[in-house]
Amino acid sequence: MRVGLLGLGRIGMFHAATLSTLVDDLVVSDVDHTRAEEVAGRLKARVGDPFDADAVVIATPTSTHAEALLRASDLGVPAFCEKPAAPTVAETRRVAEAVKRSGVAVHIGFQRRFDAGYTAAREALRGGELGELHRVHLLTADPKPPAAGYVALSGGIFRDCHIHDFDILRWVTGREVDTVYATGSNRGEAFFTEAGDVDNSAALLIMDDGTLVTLQGSRYNGAGYDVRMELAGTRATWAAGLGYRTPLRSAEGFDPGGDPWPDFQARFDAAYVAEMRAFLAMARGERESPCTVQDALSALYLAEAADLSLREGRPVRLLEVTK
C-alpha cells in the first residue's frame, strides 16, 4: 500500500513512525516543508501529495479536518482523521453527508476503542459478567494544561478533552445519553477564563435506560495523567485504566508502585498502534470502519450538550442539540 500522511505535529510524528513499520510506501506532507523533508529522510519515506495514495492519514489542526476529509471523499481515498471530524456540528454533518454519498471508508481517531482495558470492559459488559449496568464513572485528568493559544482555539474542555469520554461511553455500553448536566470551575491560569473555558469539570449524564454516569476532568492533576472508566453492575464492578501506573494512592497505604503516566501518548501508545493497524485493514477492505463520522457526530452532540449545560447552568436534553 501507498499511504499518505498529512501533518507532522506531535501526533502526526507518532503516526509517521508507526506507519513506517507497517507500509512500504509512505508519503508525508506538512506546511513546514523542511520538517517534512527531515522526517521523510529519517523514516525512509518521501515527500509528496498525501492524497495521491491508497489511503490517507489526516493529523493536521482541527480547523482543517473537514476540508481534508471532503477532499479524500471527492477523490475516493479511504481516510483516517484524528478527532474531531470537524469543529462544529454543522461542518460534521456536512462531512458525514459527503462521506455517505461517496461511499468512501473513513475512520475517526478515538484511540480508547483500541485500548486493551476498555475493550475487555466492553466485552465483559456485553457478555453479562457485570450483570445489569447501573452506574458508570469517567475520568480524564491531565497533569498540566495545554498552551494558552491552544485552549483559546480548542472549543472548550468538553469538546477537546471529554469528547473521548463521550465516545467511549457510547462504545462500551452500546447505549445513548438522554440528559447532560455539566459544571466546571477555574482554579488555575487566567487564560482558561479568558477563553470562556474551565480547567476543572464535572457532569452527570443519564442514559436512555436510566443508567447514571458521572464524569470528572482536570487540566491540573498534579499526580500524573489519569484516565479511567468504572462500570458498576448488579454482578460485578470493573475498572478500565486502573493499574500500577495509575496516579492514585490509597489512604490505607497501598502503593501501586509504578511511575505515573506522563501524558496521553505514553498511556495509549499500544492503542494508537492498534488503531493504525485497524485503519489499514479498513483501507484494504478487510473490515468496516471502527469509528465512523457518524460516531464522531454523536460524541460531538454530547460535548455540545455539556457545553450548553455549563453555560446555562441547567440540565440539557440531547434532543435540544440534535435537531
Side-chain angles (χ1 to χ4, degrees), residues 39-68:
V39 171
R42 180 154 45 87
L43 297 179
K44 297 181 180 179
R46 57 192 177 88
V47 177
D49 180 0
F51 292 92
D52 182 19
D54 300 309
V56 63
V57 173
I58 300 163
T60 49
T62 294
S63 61
T64 67
H65 287 185
E67 179 183 356

PDB file of all heavy atoms in Angstrom, residues 39-68:
ATOM      1  N   VAL A  39      11.779  14.485   8.174  1.00  0.00           N
ATOM      2  CA  VAL A  39      11.076  13.283   8.630  1.00  0.00           C
ATOM      3  C   VAL A  39      11.140  12.195   7.563  1.00  0.00           C
ATOM      4  O   VAL A  39      11.378  11.014   7.870  1.00  0.00           O
ATOM      5  CB  VAL A  39       9.612  13.611   8.973  1.00  0.00           C
ATOM      6  CG1 VAL A  39       8.816  12.341   9.234  1.00  0.00           C
ATOM      7  CG2 VAL A  39       9.559  14.537  10.179  1.00  0.00           C
ATOM      8  N   ALA A  40      10.925  12.581   6.311  1.00  0.00           N
ATOM      9  CA  ALA A  40      10.977  11.610   5.227  1.00  0.00           C
ATOM     10  C   ALA A  40      12.339  10.932   5.151  1.00  0.00           C
ATOM     11  O   ALA A  40      12.433   9.712   4.992  1.00  0.00           O
ATOM     12  CB  ALA A  40      10.647  12.291   3.906  1.00  0.00           C
ATOM     13  N   GLY A  41      13.398  11.717   5.289  1.00  0.00           N
ATOM     14  CA  GLY A  41      14.735  11.151   5.242  1.00  0.00           C
ATOM     15  C   GLY A  41      15.002  10.197   6.391  1.00  0.00           C
ATOM     16  O   GLY A  41      15.623   9.133   6.211  1.00  0.00           O
ATOM     17  N   ARG A  42      14.514  10.546   7.553  1.00  0.00           N
ATOM     18  CA  ARG A  42      14.756   9.720   8.738  1.00  0.00           C
ATOM     19  C   ARG A  42      13.966   8.422   8.710  1.00  0.00           C
ATOM     20  O   ARG A  42      14.446   7.394   9.199  1.00  0.00           O
ATOM     21  CB  ARG A  42      14.419  10.544   9.987  1.00  0.00           C
ATOM     22  CG  ARG A  42      14.615   9.820  11.294  1.00  0.00           C
ATOM     23  CD  ARG A  42      14.891  10.807  12.416  1.00  0.00           C
ATOM     24  NE  ARG A  42      13.994  11.947  12.372  1.00  0.00           N
ATOM     25  CZ  ARG A  42      12.795  11.966  12.948  1.00  0.00           C
ATOM     26  NH1 ARG A  42      12.329  10.902  13.564  1.00  0.00           N
ATOM     27  NH2 ARG A  42      12.039  13.062  12.899  1.00  0.00           N
ATOM     28  N   LEU A  43      12.762   8.462   8.136  1.00  0.00           N
ATOM     29  CA  LEU A  43      11.903   7.275   8.152  1.00  0.00           C
ATOM     30  C   LEU A  43      11.893   6.525   6.828  1.00  0.00           C
ATOM     31  O   LEU A  43      11.103   5.600   6.642  1.00  0.00           O
ATOM     32  CB  LEU A  43      10.465   7.694   8.506  1.00  0.00           C
ATOM     33  CG  LEU A  43      10.255   8.301   9.890  1.00  0.00           C
ATOM     34  CD1 LEU A  43       8.785   8.681  10.075  1.00  0.00           C
ATOM     35  CD2 LEU A  43      10.690   7.337  10.979  1.00  0.00           C
ATOM     36  N   LYS A  44      12.740   6.928   5.900  1.00  0.00           N
ATOM     37  CA  LYS A  44      12.792   6.300   4.578  1.00  0.00           C
ATOM     38  C   LYS A  44      11.436   6.415   3.875  1.00  0.00           C
ATOM     39  O   LYS A  44      10.967   5.475   3.226  1.00  0.00           O
ATOM     40  CB  LYS A  44      13.242   4.846   4.680  1.00  0.00           C
ATOM     41  CG  LYS A  44      14.660   4.686   5.222  1.00  0.00           C
ATOM     42  CD  LYS A  44      15.091   3.235   5.279  1.00  0.00           C
ATOM     43  CE  LYS A  44      16.511   3.121   5.817  1.00  0.00           C
ATOM     44  NZ  LYS A  44      16.960   1.700   5.906  1.00  0.00           N
ATOM     45  N   ALA A  45      10.822   7.568   4.048  1.00  0.00           N
ATOM     46  CA  ALA A  45       9.579   7.894   3.364  1.00  0.00           C
ATOM     47  C   ALA A  45       9.909   8.909   2.277  1.00  0.00           C
ATOM     48  O   ALA A  45      11.079   9.143   1.964  1.00  0.00           O
ATOM     49  CB  ALA A  45       8.576   8.472   4.365  1.00  0.00           C
ATOM     50  N   ARG A  46       8.903   9.521   1.709  1.00  0.00           N
ATOM     51  CA  ARG A  46       9.150  10.572   0.727  1.00  0.00           C
ATOM     52  C   ARG A  46       8.112  11.670   0.868  1.00  0.00           C
ATOM     53  O   ARG A  46       7.026  11.451   1.404  1.00  0.00           O
ATOM     54  CB  ARG A  46       9.148  10.019  -0.694  1.00  0.00           C
ATOM     55  CG  ARG A  46       7.883   9.293  -1.101  1.00  0.00           C
ATOM     56  CD  ARG A  46       8.103   8.528  -2.404  1.00  0.00           C
ATOM     57  NE  ARG A  46       6.933   7.763  -2.802  1.00  0.00           N
ATOM     58  CZ  ARG A  46       5.940   8.236  -3.532  1.00  0.00           C
ATOM     59  NH1 ARG A  46       5.968   9.513  -3.945  1.00  0.00           N
ATOM     60  NH2 ARG A  46       4.913   7.493  -3.867  1.00  0.00           N
ATOM     61  N   VAL A  47       8.450  12.846   0.411  1.00  0.00           N
ATOM     62  CA  VAL A  47       7.551  13.999   0.482  1.00  0.00           C
ATOM     63  C   VAL A  47       6.737  14.054  -0.803  1.00  0.00           C
ATOM     64  O   VAL A  47       7.268  13.867  -1.898  1.00  0.00           O
ATOM     65  CB  VAL A  47       8.343  15.310   0.664  1.00  0.00           C
ATOM     66  CG1 VAL A  47       7.399  16.500   0.660  1.00  0.00           C
ATOM     67  CG2 VAL A  47       9.156  15.266   1.944  1.00  0.00           C
ATOM     68  N   GLY A  48       5.447  14.298  -0.666  1.00  0.00           N
ATOM     69  CA  GLY A  48       4.597  14.382  -1.847  1.00  0.00           C
ATOM     70  C   GLY A  48       3.162  14.672  -1.472  1.00  0.00           C
ATOM     71  O   GLY A  48       2.868  15.079  -0.336  1.00  0.00           O
ATOM     72  N   ASP A  49       2.270  14.445  -2.418  1.00  0.00           N
ATOM     73  CA  ASP A  49       0.840  14.672  -2.196  1.00  0.00           C
ATOM     74  C   ASP A  49       0.278  13.478  -1.425  1.00  0.00           C
ATOM     75  O   ASP A  49       0.206  12.370  -1.967  1.00  0.00           O
ATOM     76  CB  ASP A  49       0.125  14.821  -3.526  1.00  0.00           C
ATOM     77  CG  ASP A  49      -1.371  15.062  -3.369  1.00  0.00           C
ATOM     78  OD1 ASP A  49      -1.860  15.115  -2.213  1.00  0.00           O
ATOM     79  OD2 ASP A  49      -2.053  15.194  -4.401  1.00  0.00           O
ATOM     80  N   PRO A  50      -0.157  13.655  -0.176  1.00  0.00           N
ATOM     81  CA  PRO A  50      -0.628  12.520   0.619  1.00  0.00           C
ATOM     82  C   PRO A  50      -1.939  11.931   0.108  1.00  0.00           C
ATOM     83  O   PRO A  50      -2.300  10.803   0.475  1.00  0.00           O
ATOM     84  CB  PRO A  50      -0.795  13.117   2.019  1.00  0.00           C
ATOM     85  CG  PRO A  50      -1.037  14.569   1.788  1.00  0.00           C
ATOM     86  CD  PRO A  50      -0.207  14.921   0.583  1.00  0.00           C
ATOM     87  N   PHE A  51      -2.657  12.675  -0.732  1.00  0.00           N
ATOM     88  CA  PHE A  51      -3.916  12.162  -1.267  1.00  0.00           C
ATOM     89  C   PHE A  51      -3.699  11.321  -2.530  1.00  0.00           C
ATOM     90  O   PHE A  51      -4.624  10.654  -2.989  1.00  0.00           O
ATOM     91  CB  PHE A  51      -4.870  13.316  -1.567  1.00  0.00           C
ATOM     92  CG  PHE A  51      -5.358  14.020  -0.330  1.00  0.00           C
ATOM     93  CD1 PHE A  51      -4.684  15.126   0.169  1.00  0.00           C
ATOM     94  CD2 PHE A  51      -6.477  13.563   0.351  1.00  0.00           C
ATOM     95  CE1 PHE A  51      -5.121  15.773   1.316  1.00  0.00           C
ATOM     96  CE2 PHE A  51      -6.928  14.202   1.500  1.00  0.00           C
ATOM     97  CZ  PHE A  51      -6.236  15.299   1.990  1.00  0.00           C
ATOM     98  N   ASP A  52      -2.485  11.357  -3.068  1.00  0.00           N
ATOM     99  CA  ASP A  52      -2.141  10.502  -4.204  1.00  0.00           C
ATOM    100  C   ASP A  52      -1.637   9.178  -3.644  1.00  0.00           C
ATOM    101  O   ASP A  52      -0.461   8.829  -3.734  1.00  0.00           O
ATOM    102  CB  ASP A  52      -1.073  11.177  -5.074  1.00  0.00           C
ATOM    103  CG  ASP A  52      -0.718  10.350  -6.301  1.00  0.00           C
ATOM    104  OD1 ASP A  52      -1.524   9.458  -6.667  1.00  0.00           O
ATOM    105  OD2 ASP A  52       0.363  10.565  -6.873  1.00  0.00           O
ATOM    106  N   ALA A  53      -2.566   8.450  -3.042  1.00  0.00           N
ATOM    107  CA  ALA A  53      -2.198   7.235  -2.314  1.00  0.00           C
ATOM    108  C   ALA A  53      -3.400   6.303  -2.219  1.00  0.00           C
ATOM    109  O   ALA A  53      -4.519   6.653  -2.620  1.00  0.00           O
ATOM    110  CB  ALA A  53      -1.707   7.605  -0.910  1.00  0.00           C
ATOM    111  N   ASP A  54      -3.165   5.120  -1.684  1.00  0.00           N
ATOM    112  CA  ASP A  54      -4.250   4.153  -1.479  1.00  0.00           C
ATOM    113  C   ASP A  54      -5.072   4.495  -0.246  1.00  0.00           C
ATOM    114  O   ASP A  54      -6.207   4.035  -0.101  1.00  0.00           O
ATOM    115  CB  ASP A  54      -3.668   2.748  -1.316  1.00  0.00           C
ATOM    116  CG  ASP A  54      -2.884   2.315  -2.541  1.00  0.00           C
ATOM    117  OD1 ASP A  54      -3.429   2.417  -3.656  1.00  0.00           O
ATOM    118  OD2 ASP A  54      -1.718   1.884  -2.387  1.00  0.00           O
ATOM    119  N   ALA A  55      -4.497   5.275   0.662  1.00  0.00           N
ATOM    120  CA  ALA A  55      -5.179   5.693   1.883  1.00  0.00           C
ATOM    121  C   ALA A  55      -4.432   6.899   2.439  1.00  0.00           C
ATOM    122  O   ALA A  55      -3.235   7.081   2.181  1.00  0.00           O
ATOM    123  CB  ALA A  55      -5.201   4.564   2.911  1.00  0.00           C
ATOM    124  N   VAL A  56      -5.137   7.725   3.215  1.00  0.00           N
ATOM    125  CA  VAL A  56      -4.520   8.927   3.763  1.00  0.00           C
ATOM    126  C   VAL A  56      -4.819   9.053   5.252  1.00  0.00           C
ATOM    127  O   VAL A  56      -5.930   8.734   5.697  1.00  0.00           O
ATOM    128  CB  VAL A  56      -4.997  10.200   3.005  1.00  0.00           C
ATOM    129  CG1 VAL A  56      -6.498  10.418   3.164  1.00  0.00           C
ATOM    130  CG2 VAL A  56      -4.218  11.427   3.468  1.00  0.00           C
ATOM    131  N   VAL A  57      -3.828   9.503   6.001  1.00  0.00           N
ATOM    132  CA  VAL A  57      -3.961   9.772   7.430  1.00  0.00           C
ATOM    133  C   VAL A  57      -3.891  11.280   7.627  1.00  0.00           C
ATOM    134  O   VAL A  57      -2.925  11.927   7.206  1.00  0.00           O
ATOM    135  CB  VAL A  57      -2.840   9.080   8.243  1.00  0.00           C
ATOM    136  CG1 VAL A  57      -2.896   9.503   9.710  1.00  0.00           C
ATOM    137  CG2 VAL A  57      -2.966   7.568   8.117  1.00  0.00           C
ATOM    138  N   ILE A  58      -4.926  11.837   8.278  1.00  0.00           N
ATOM    139  CA  ILE A  58      -5.030  13.284   8.471  1.00  0.00           C
ATOM    140  C   ILE A  58      -4.719  13.611   9.929  1.00  0.00           C
ATOM    141  O   ILE A  58      -5.455  13.216  10.828  1.00  0.00           O
ATOM    142  CB  ILE A  58      -6.433  13.785   8.095  1.00  0.00           C
ATOM    143  CG1 ILE A  58      -6.724  13.457   6.623  1.00  0.00           C
ATOM    144  CG2 ILE A  58      -6.580  15.274   8.366  1.00  0.00           C
ATOM    145  CD1 ILE A  58      -8.184  13.539   6.254  1.00  0.00           C
ATOM    146  N   ALA A  59      -3.624  14.312  10.153  1.00  0.00           N
ATOM    147  CA  ALA A  59      -3.195  14.653  11.508  1.00  0.00           C
ATOM    148  C   ALA A  59      -2.870  16.137  11.604  1.00  0.00           C
ATOM    149  O   ALA A  59      -1.940  16.550  12.300  1.00  0.00           O
ATOM    150  CB  ALA A  59      -1.984  13.811  11.903  1.00  0.00           C
ATOM    151  N   THR A  60      -3.646  16.939  10.915  1.00  0.00           N
ATOM    152  CA  THR A  60      -3.469  18.384  10.892  1.00  0.00           C
ATOM    153  C   THR A  60      -4.331  19.029  11.978  1.00  0.00           C
ATOM    154  O   THR A  60      -5.101  18.347  12.649  1.00  0.00           O
ATOM    155  CB  THR A  60      -3.891  18.924   9.514  1.00  0.00           C
ATOM    156  OG1 THR A  60      -5.175  18.379   9.184  1.00  0.00           O
ATOM    157  CG2 THR A  60      -2.879  18.516   8.446  1.00  0.00           C
ATOM    158  N   PRO A  61      -4.222  20.347  12.184  1.00  0.00           N
ATOM    159  CA  PRO A  61      -5.065  21.008  13.192  1.00  0.00           C
ATOM    160  C   PRO A  61      -6.557  20.808  12.919  1.00  0.00           C
ATOM    161  O   PRO A  61      -6.981  20.633  11.769  1.00  0.00           O
ATOM    162  CB  PRO A  61      -4.659  22.481  13.066  1.00  0.00           C
ATOM    163  CG  PRO A  61      -3.248  22.437  12.567  1.00  0.00           C
ATOM    164  CD  PRO A  61      -3.208  21.268  11.630  1.00  0.00           C
ATOM    165  N   THR A  62      -7.342  20.860  13.979  1.00  0.00           N
ATOM    166  CA  THR A  62      -8.780  20.600  13.910  1.00  0.00           C
ATOM    167  C   THR A  62      -9.483  21.428  12.835  1.00  0.00           C
ATOM    168  O   THR A  62     -10.364  20.930  12.128  1.00  0.00           O
ATOM    169  CB  THR A  62      -9.419  20.890  15.280  1.00  0.00           C
ATOM    170  OG1 THR A  62      -8.917  19.951  16.230  1.00  0.00           O
ATOM    171  CG2 THR A  62     -10.929  20.793  15.228  1.00  0.00           C
ATOM    172  N   SER A  63      -9.093  22.677  12.689  1.00  0.00           N
ATOM    173  CA  SER A  63      -9.777  23.568  11.744  1.00  0.00           C
ATOM    174  C   SER A  63      -9.675  23.101  10.301  1.00  0.00           C
ATOM    175  O   SER A  63     -10.440  23.545   9.441  1.00  0.00           O
ATOM    176  CB  SER A  63      -9.224  24.988  11.866  1.00  0.00           C
ATOM    177  OG  SER A  63      -7.835  25.008  11.557  1.00  0.00           O
ATOM    178  N   THR A  64      -8.727  22.211  10.005  1.00  0.00           N
ATOM    179  CA  THR A  64      -8.516  21.743   8.629  1.00  0.00           C
ATOM    180  C   THR A  64      -9.125  20.369   8.358  1.00  0.00           C
ATOM    181  O   THR A  64      -9.090  19.896   7.220  1.00  0.00           O
ATOM    182  CB  THR A  64      -7.011  21.671   8.319  1.00  0.00           C
ATOM    183  OG1 THR A  64      -6.418  20.632   9.126  1.00  0.00           O
ATOM    184  CG2 THR A  64      -6.322  22.984   8.617  1.00  0.00           C
ATOM    185  N   HIS A  65      -9.665  19.711   9.385  1.00  0.00           N
ATOM    186  CA  HIS A  65     -10.125  18.330   9.232  1.00  0.00           C
ATOM    187  C   HIS A  65     -11.243  18.187   8.200  1.00  0.00           C
ATOM    188  O   HIS A  65     -11.219  17.284   7.365  1.00  0.00           O
ATOM    189  CB  HIS A  65     -10.591  17.774  10.575  1.00  0.00           C
ATOM    190  CG  HIS A  65      -9.479  17.485  11.522  1.00  0.00           C
ATOM    191  ND1 HIS A  65      -9.669  16.895  12.753  1.00  0.00           N
ATOM    192  CD2 HIS A  65      -8.147  17.698  11.413  1.00  0.00           C
ATOM    193  CE1 HIS A  65      -8.509  16.772  13.368  1.00  0.00           C
ATOM    194  NE2 HIS A  65      -7.575  17.254  12.576  1.00  0.00           N
ATOM    195  N   ALA A  66     -12.242  19.060   8.274  1.00  0.00           N
ATOM    196  CA  ALA A  66     -13.385  18.945   7.368  1.00  0.00           C
ATOM    197  C   ALA A  66     -12.937  19.055   5.914  1.00  0.00           C
ATOM    198  O   ALA A  66     -13.324  18.238   5.060  1.00  0.00           O
ATOM    199  CB  ALA A  66     -14.424  20.013   7.691  1.00  0.00           C
ATOM    200  N   GLU A  67     -12.113  20.051   5.609  1.00  0.00           N
ATOM    201  CA  GLU A  67     -11.638  20.254   4.241  1.00  0.00           C
ATOM    202  C   GLU A  67     -10.867  19.035   3.745  1.00  0.00           C
ATOM    203  O   GLU A  67     -11.054  18.581   2.604  1.00  0.00           O
ATOM    204  CB  GLU A  67     -10.745  21.494   4.184  1.00  0.00           C
ATOM    205  CG  GLU A  67     -10.180  21.783   2.801  1.00  0.00           C
ATOM    206  CD  GLU A  67      -9.229  22.971   2.789  1.00  0.00           C
ATOM    207  OE1 GLU A  67      -9.066  23.616   3.844  1.00  0.00           O
ATOM    208  OE2 GLU A  67      -8.667  23.246   1.721  1.00  0.00           O
ATOM    209  N   ALA A  68     -10.005  18.476   4.602  1.00  0.00           N
ATOM    210  CA  ALA A  68      -9.212  17.314   4.213  1.00  0.00           C
ATOM    211  C   ALA A  68     -10.091  16.085   3.994  1.00  0.00           C
ATOM    212  O   ALA A  68      -9.889  15.312   3.048  1.00  0.00           O
ATOM    213  CB  ALA A  68      -8.153  17.027   5.272  1.00  0.00           C
TER     214      ALA A  68
END
